[in-house]
Every structure is written in C-alpha cells, then in structure tokens.
Amino acid sequence: MLYVCLRFPLLGLEALPGAPLSEPCALIAQQQVSLVNAAGRLAGVTEGMSLTTALALCPSLYCQPQQSECEQAHWQRLALWAYRFSDDISLSPPNALLLEVSRSLKLFGNLKRLYRALLSAYRKRGLQLNIGLGNTPLAAELLSLQGIRPAHLVNAEGELKRDALKRALASLPCRQLPLPSVQLEALHNMGLRRLGDVLSLPRKQLLSSFDPVMADFVARLTGRKQDPRQRYQPADVFVSERQFDGGLFQSDQLRFPMSAMLKELEVYLRLRQCLNRDLHWTFHYLSGERQHWKTPVNHRHFHRKNLLELIALQLEGFTLAGAVEGITLECREFVSLEATKQQLFDEHREATEQSDAQLRLINSLQLRLGDNALQQLKIDDRVLPEQQGVACPVSDYNCEHRDHEASSEALRPCLLLPTPLPLQRTTTGLVWQGPLEILQGPERLDSNWWQQRQVRDYYIARHNDHGLCWLFKDCLSQQWYLHGFFS
Amino acid sequence: MALLTFQPVNILYIHTVYRFAPCPMPSKTLEQLINRQQLWPAKQRRHHTVGGHSNATGFAPLDRALHQGGWPSSGSSEFLCDTPGVGELELVMPTLSQLNRDRPIAWLNPPYLPFAPGLVQHGLAAQQQWLIHAHRQHQLWAAEEALRSGVFGALLSWSANCPPNDKQLRRLHLAAREGHCWHLHFRPSRCQPQASPAPLRVQVEGGPRDIKLVILKQYGGHAGQQLTLPRNKQLTEAQRPVNEWPTNTNPRRRLAVNLHVAGRPSTPSSHPVIRS
C-alpha cells in the first residue's frame, strides 16, 4: 500500500471566488486572521493576528470572512478531480486528500511520473499543493504537513526509497503531530523533539508513560494497526460552478469556462459509469437575476468536443442580458452506460450492435416523449377489426413471436380509424368530405354476441378524390361508419 | 511482377475511398462497406454514385422511371399527397416488406392507426412495426433520433401539423443517410412549391383505378416523369354486372366465357351492383 496525501494549505482562500491570490490575502474568523497566503506573510501578517493589527501592517490586505460551504464544495471538487489518479480517495480534514496509489503506479509507469503528473495537473489550476508519501495514511498525512519534496524519496528508476522515507518521517518535529495538547506537552517535557525519538521508544514504555491515544497513534503510523478511511463517494447529482470577478459580457467568453466544466463532468461520468441526458446551465447575472438554460443531449458516448460544438451553436444566437457573474452546470438525469460486448466472431456482432442501438433508442425516446409514446403493433385473435390490430406500449409488449400468415380472407386496409367515424347519408348517397361511391361488398361480420352483438357489412368505397375507404353499415342501428383507408 | 503491379492500384483505390468516407468501425467486410455506400465497384460507378443503392419498387414502369432503378435505400424521400387512401402506401409496400426482413419499420405520427392485419397482407411483420407518437415540439427530434440510430430500415413520418423548414428537412435527410434509413416523408401537396433538400420528391394522386405519380425531383437526371400505376385489382374491381355472374354452365362453356372475359380490356363498370 502506498498513500499520497495532497494537502492544500490555502484551500480556504482558493475556494473563494475571485480572490487575488498573488496579492496579500487573508481569511478572517472571529476578528482574527485564520489563513494568510505567502504574499501576506511577506508583509508580516501571520495566523492568529487580530484583524486590526493585520490591516495596520498591510493596508492592502484582501480580507474575507471564512466561507465553510464554499470551502467544502471546492474540496469535494478537488476530490472528484483526483479521481483521475486513483479510485481510492478519502477526504482528510481539514484540507487534504488521501490517495491510495499502489494500483495506479502501473498505469503511470512509476512513482516519479505519477508525482510529476499530479504536480503539473494541480499547478495548471493554480493551486498550492503539498505532497506527502507514506506506507500508511497517517504517515502520508504527517509528511504532507511538512511539505516534503517526494523527489528526494524516489530514486532514478522511480522507485520509493524506504530508508529515505523513514528518515523523513523521523525528522518531523513533534509539535506538529495531530495529538491532544496534553500529549504534546508530555512529549516536550520528556525531551522528545522529533518523531523519530517517539518511534524508537519501546511499545511497553509508550503504554506506561503516555495515554493510550499515543500508543494507538504510533500503531497507526507504523501500520501495526489498521487505519481505515471512509472512501469518497461522488454525489448523485453533478453540480459545477464557476465565478468570474467583474463579470463576462460576451457569450464567446463563456466557452472556456464551459469547456472546463464539461471536462469535470467527463471525469464524473467516467467515474460513475453513466451518461448524462441533459445539461442545465444557470447564468447568474450581476444584477442578481438568474437565467436557466438547457442543452438537450442525446449521445452514446460523452464527447466533449461534440458537446462544445452543440453549445457553441446554441450560444450563437444568444445575447447575454447583462454581465455574467457566474455559471452553474447541473446534471440530474443519468443513464447507466452499457458495457460493450465484444464478440469473438463477427457474425453476431451486427445483431448485437443492432439490438444495443435499439435499446438506446427506446430509452432515449421514452425518456423524452413519455412511456406510452413508443408502441408496437400487435395482432390479437379477436373478431372486431378495431380489436384485432392494436398498438401497445413497448414496455407491455410480450414477445410471442407468432408469424401471422397473410390470411386469404378479404382485403384489409393499411390505415384504420381507431374509433369508427359515423357517416352522413344524403339523398344522393353517403358523404364524407364529398360523395362516396361503393365499389365492393358487403363482407358480413356477425359476431361478438357474448359481449355485444355486432352485425356489420363492410364495403370498399371510392372517395371523390379517388381515395379508397373501408366503410361498414351497422345492420342493427342502420348507421354507416368510416373505418379505414386502403392507402 | 503481375502481383506487384496489381497491389498498389488496389491500395490506392481503397485509400482514397477511406479519405472521403471514413469508416467508423475498423473491421468491416467488403460487403458491408458496399452496402453502406462507402465503397462501390468501379464498373457500376455510373449508376450507383448518383444516389447510392436502391431497392426495387415492385412496379416495373416506376423502376424504369427512377434513374436509380428503385426507391433509395437511405435518405429522405417526399411523398406529396393530400387524401388518404389514394395508394400512397401501396406504392412503397413491396419495398417496405423487403426492408422489414432485416430491420423494423417506424411510423412517426401517422394520421391513423397502421392496421396490422392489413400490413401483414402486404408482407410486413406486425411485431416489427414501431409506432412513435411525438408531441409537436419533439417531433423533429424524435424523427432525427430514430433516423440516425440506424435501428429502422425505414421511417414513415407525417408532419402535417408542424411543417419543417428547409434546415430541418436537411437535417432529417442527413440523419437518414447516417443511419442508413429510408425516410418516407408524407406531406400535403401544398408543400410542392417549397424547395426541399430531399433528393426524391413524388406527388401522388388517385385515379379511378390507379395511382397517378409525378416525379418532381430525383437524383441522377431529369425529373418530371408522369406515371400511372395500376392499383390492386381486388380493390378496384367493381362487382360484376348480372350478366357476368358465374352461372351453372358446363365446364367447357365456362372456360370459354372466362377466356372471353379475360381477353377483354377491363373497363370501369358504369353500374355497380350495390348502391347505397
């Protein structure tokens, strides 16, 4: 097992939308500076300082109250982002992520390459990052506190140098350990300044001279005791947000943030092995208004480039109602990605491809049009024509493959009126949008006595416009009906 | 040496085809490529490049009138027709029953219910007919989706209540080409003046015992052919007058009468037996 701990020391500041991180910035909690960046530190501002002192030292200090919700969301996004490196990720409070990378090493080649990929990925986003490595989660966490350079721990072949790791761990100062202050004081009083001193103590002495917390800590650090972490689970709904200070005025400018958000979505989808059905965008205007906007999507694979083209098309005829302060992308509907089955021999592939495509189409049509929008025709063994040929929803269709032979009986129309249309009779004959001329008939149907007796005489008639119609005369009520068309 | 000269020619040929029509899946048999119009035998080039493959219509005069030799196997075809029952479906039924052997057929927003026993009489499989009811604003989407998916051999669509514009028609045509699906678009004949990107446009009208066709536009040559195709005899054959009723004559005599009747050109009967 090999753990990498990614610590984001400036998480609180980075989470703030539009914080000028190159200039002195600080987070304020209860009138005290709780977090300050490097530029602020240069100006003499340190954590724990009161706000007035800090402002006196550095008048241009950018101060913001701590926004824990914003910070949490940002942290979650970072965790999602880290999924490209490992599948086993856990959040390590207050500002770190823990990745189990022993299985990722094969993918990336070796540790050195993985480390480089990690570093460049996060640098690209302008995030400050401390990396820690270790055989146990706790060791990685502790080393990331120090911000050790993993390059020193890895040899030229990209393998981990275990001795160097041990040495780095041993040289950690004891006051940084995440222990209760009583224990820290006890360590200090005993003259144990470095972690190595603590680790070299025999277990018996640890148990006798310290609280059990200490022994537990050392056991977890050395791996003698299991230290299970809760795995990070991505949320059911994908939400991504981008904020712009000053606002954007042109829809073209939105393309880049949208592309970045789609990239996030891509990772999310790959992680959950599913496919989104829609993209809900919300524009937050400076005036406080919101505009909702939807991109209907139907695809088999998430293809960012195609989606971007689609969005660009949509944005073309789109004028922003003002300055856009932020955009939110939300996806709520997902369908699971069907695993593609590869056949060894080619003969079945066409058929499976066809049935896969059919399923996908059914899904997408039903999703958009409703469950009953898609129907299949069926022949029932009933007497009345309107009961004989029916359409039933695909979901109810029971697949009994009976081949209906073309019956030798009289011709049946291709199009049927589901409910027969009563016809008017004038002195010249039957009328439906013009006179009707009867060509053939009758074909007598006298049945259905067990429910309601039906006596019908079916005729083929020619319409004024030469259309051929299927009529019947209800012999019980002497009423004529139009029932279909020989199209 | 012969082999050496033969090979480069072959490779060059396939290479150029691939450049213009990239094949999405790497391993396709030659037959599949030919079926999907990505490759064609050079000697048939003159006939088949104009509009791709075609399916025989089942009516010899119509096959001759269409430069492709039949209905197109993919892409949009427009049928301009105002009244139901003039034979607009009868015209395409032989081809549809051919297509239905491999892939199902979709009916998008038909004006009336397709009647399964009637379709079976035309050689279609009832369980292979899919009916899609799409609301007005989703109609085009559903059509495009169904055409592009490649699931259906043919899609019959009616769009009387929301006439699509030129751009939408083009999209439908392209989607049909992509999904190798024949799109039969039934439209009212008032759409005739509107320019359409569909490569084949046919106006269908009814005659007393036949279907009158005007090919308004087609691939690969001049259009404007006017045809008259007979309808199914069983439909239009009016009941025979009393003097033609079968009588109880001796077989030899009956044969002679039948021969006499069959030899006569059929004329519309002026006195149908049944009048309402």
Side-chain angles (χ1 to χ4, degrees), chain A residues 235-303:
Chain A
D236 282 343
V237 178
F238 176 83
V239 182
S240 172
E241 219 176 313
R242 288 284 188 283
Q243 302 279 345
F244 318 105
D245 47 329
L248 300 180
F249 294 89
Q250 282 168 356
S251 52
D252 296 353
Q253 293 173 308
L254 290 173
R255 283 199 64 171
F256 295 101
M258 279 176 161
S259 165
M261 286 158 104
L262 286 179
K263 206 166 186 177
E264 247 175 70
L265 177 63
E266 192 177 359
V267 175
Y268 175 85
L269 292 177
R270 196 170 56 205
L271 180 68
R272 282 193 55 196
Q273 288 292 301
C274 59
L275 208 54
N276 63 319
R277 277 275 158 250
D278 41 16
L279 300 168
H280 289 278
W281 303 94
T282 311
F283 291 167
H284 304 269
Y285 289 107
L286 265 180
S287 56
E289 280 175 34
R290 284 174 178 203
Q291 188 176 12
H292 296 281
W293 189 74
K294 188 180 160 193
T295 314
V297 182
N298 197 281
H299 48 190
R300 293 173 204 177
H301 310 285
F302 188 88
H303 202 275

Side-chain angles (χ1 to χ4, degrees), chain A residues 26 94 141 144 162 261 275 285 289 318 350 445 449 466 472:
Chain A
E141 271 174 15
S144 76
R162 298 198 176 269
M261 286 158 104
L275 208 54
Y285 289 107
E289 280 175 34
F318 194 79
E350 197 88 330
L445 188 150
W449 47 264
H466 305 300
F472 73 84

Side-chain angles (χ1 to χ4, degrees), chain A residues 296-300 313 346 349-350 353-354 357-359 361-362 364-365 368-369 372-379 385-386 388-391 394 397 400-418 425 427-430 432-433 436-442 459-460 462-463 465-470 480 485-487, chain B residues 25 27-29 32 36 83-91 93 102-104 107 110-135 137-139 141-143 145-152 158 167 205-210 212 231-239 269 272 274-276:
Chain A
V297 182
N298 197 281
H299 48 190
R300 293 173 204 177
L313 256 179
D346 236 16
R349 213 174 67 183
E350 197 88 330
E353 262 172 32
Q354 169 80 10
Q358 193 166 320
L359 277 177
L361 182 74
I362 292 173
S364 66
L365 287 178
R368 187 89 173 254
L369 308 176
N372 290 334
L374 202 60
Q375 296 179 326
Q376 241 173 320
L377 294 188
K378 197 166 108 173
I379 297 186
E386 62 262 42
Q388 224 171 53
V390 287
V394 173
Y397 197 86
E400 26 174 325
H401 275 291
R402 273 182 307 159
D403 282 333
H404 291 274
E405 297 279 319
S407 48
S408 58
E409 57 179 321
L411 285 173
R412 292 279 172 262
C414 288
L415 294 177
L416 190 83
L417 275 74
R425 261 186 99 169
T427 46
T428 51
L430 292 168
W432 177 75
Q433 296 179 1
L436 290 163
E437 179 198 355
I438 287 186
L439 299 179
Q440 280 199 60
Y459 296 89
I460 299 175
R462 187 189 290 139
H463 187 246
D465 296 329
H466 305 300
L468 295 184
C469 312
W470 206 38
W480 286 81
F485 296 100
F486 290 91
S487 279
Chain B
M25 261 147 299
S27 61
K28 285 276 170 221
T29 61
Q32 279 169 328
R36 301 203 161 178
T83 40
V86 293
E88 72 274 19
L89 289 178
E90 204 178 314
L91 206 59
M93 278 300 170
D102 300 331
R103 291 191 284 176
W107 305 66
Y112 306 102
L113 177 77
F115 189 47
L119 298 179
V120 168
Q121 282 181 344
H122 278 107
L124 272 67
Q127 74 273 7
Q128 289 288 319
Q129 312 299 318
W130 295 68
L131 209 58
I132 307 170
H133 298 289
H135 198 256
Q137 71 256 32
H138 294 315
Q139 190 173 317
W141 175 83
E145 218 35 49
L147 288 170
R148 180 163 293 149
S149 67
V151 170
F152 301 114
W158 283 261
K167 202 171 161 187
E205 278 171 8
R209 296 162 179 259
D210 35 39
K212 284 181 178 156
R231 293 206 68 168
N232 186 351
K233 281 255 166 53
Q234 288 183 45
L235 278 172
T236 51
E237 204 171 65
Q239 284 196 341
S269 165
I274 293 167
R275 275 210 173 265
S276 54

Side-chain angles (χ1 to χ4, degrees), chain B residues 80 192 201-203 214-218 223-225:
Chain B
L80 306 174
Q192 192 198 328
R201 301 184 83 193
V202 179
Q203 180 152 20
V214 184
I215 301 174
L216 300 171
K217 181 184 173 188
Q218 65 166 320
Q225 293 88 340

Side-chain angles (χ1 to χ4, degrees), chain A residues 11-53:
Chain A
L11 183 75
L13 280 170
E14 279 155 357
L16 288 178
L21 288 174
S22 51
E23 283 151 41
C25 298
L27 275 188
I28 310 297
Q30 295 163 350
Q31 294 298 310
Q32 281 192 336
V33 175
S34 62
L35 186 66
V36 63
N37 67 350
R41 225 178 275 277
L42 269 180
V45 183
T46 51
E47 277 102 359
M49 210 175 241
S50 74
L51 178 60
T52 41
T53 323

Side-chain angles (χ1 to χ4, degrees), chain B residues 4 31 114 123 139 142 149 155 161 209 227 234 253:
Chain B
L4 278 177
E31 200 170 42
Q139 190 173 317
S149 67
L155 177 113
N161 55 352
R209 296 162 179 259
L227 287 103
Q234 288 183 45
R253 168 96 183 105

